[in-house]
Amino acid sequence: IVWCLVLFFLAWPLALFSLSWFVFLENFEALFLVLFGSDVVYTVNDFLERVVLWPRELGKAIATGSQSFPIPPNEVSSKERVSTSGFEASKILWSIAWLLLNIFVAYPLANFLGWWWVIMMPFESLIEALVDVDAMLEAFVTWPRMLMKATITQYEQFPNPLENRSQSPHGEYHQHEEHGP
């Protein structure tokens, strides 16, 4: 019962508040690293990602009856740092296309679906069918990061959020970097 109270009155409100900042900052992680050489945005966004994933850990604690305080692991994702050797003039249209797609489609979609993702996360320990739904929602919530990487690296193929995903040991789903951004 204690974990349910923590979930309803602390974890969900914090996760939903942090979600907006997480989705916004993940767009600029790669850009800040390339432009300024600073990984401060990575550090802040890793913390926000842990806050956003906290309801999932509480759901696991509720399902298992755990007595220990549930916190997300320190390494919640396998994000790869982006570097670029410079822009090629022939590929600048791809960068413009991915940037426009990010601004007008991916970012608003990630903000909308992110709320559903955070609300449903704790229940995936109880309802097995929600694991795949949460994985799909997480793919769309992290799609802006993938599109910004494609913008910076001038990637020519469509950065599909549902392609090349595999399950990590933590239960989250992440993009394989060798096939694209």
Side-chain angles (χ1 to χ4, degrees):
I1 292 179
V2 172
W3 296 145
C4 289
L5 292 174
V6 171
L7 176 67
F8 287 117
F9 295 110
L10 189 61
W12 266 337
L14 282 175
L16 292 172
F17 174 77
S18 300
L19 177 71
S20 298
W21 287 104
F22 170 69
V23 171
F24 177 74
L25 286 177
E26 78 176 350
N27 274 305
F28 300 104
E29 286 179 344
L31 187 62
F32 269 69
L33 186 63
V34 171
L35 293 179
F36 305 114
S38 172
D39 63 350
V40 172
V41 176
Y42 277 108
T43 306
V44 170
N45 217 34
D46 283 345
F47 171 75
L48 290 173
E49 187 174 13
R50 291 183 70 201
V51 173
V52 168
L53 292 175
W54 190 27
R56 176 182 286 153
E57 296 303 316
L58 279 165
K60 289 177 185 176
I62 292 168
T64 62
S66 174
Q67 298 295 322
S68 61
F69 189 74
I71 57 172
N74 285 336
E75 295 296 322
V76 292
S77 71
S78 59
K79 292 185 278 188
E80 188 174 296
R81 305 299 196 244
V82 173
S83 64
T84 181
S85 59
F87 282 131
E88 295 179 33
S90 63
K91 295 182 180 179
I92 194 73
L93 290 178
W94 289 113
S95 290
I96 293 170
W98 302 145
L99 183 63
L100 291 174
L101 184 65
N102 196 354
I103 292 169
F104 294 112
V105 178
Y107 183 69
L109 187 65
N111 274 310
F112 174 74
L113 294 178
W115 285 73
W116 293 105
W117 176 55
V118 168
I119 296 295
M120 290 175 25
M121 249 191 292
F123 302 111
E124 70 182 27
S125 296
L126 302 170
I127 304 168
E128 188 66 30
L130 287 181
V131 173
D132 291 333
V133 172
D134 276 355
M136 183 195 65
L137 291 173
E138 184 177 2
F140 281 105
V141 168
T142 58
W143 190 30
R145 177 189 307 143
M146 187 187 310
L147 281 166
M148 187 56 79
K149 286 180 184 180
T151 300
I152 291 171
T153 60
Q154 297 178 325
Y155 194 65
E156 294 180 13
Q157 293 180 337
F158 176 71
N160 185 346
L162 299 176
E163 190 175 87
N164 297 324
R165 296 221 167 236
S166 66
Q167 192 165 5
S168 74
H170 300 296
E172 293 86 32
Y173 289 74
H174 300 286
Q175 174 75 16
H176 287 295
E177 297 295 331
E178 65 268 9
H179 296 293

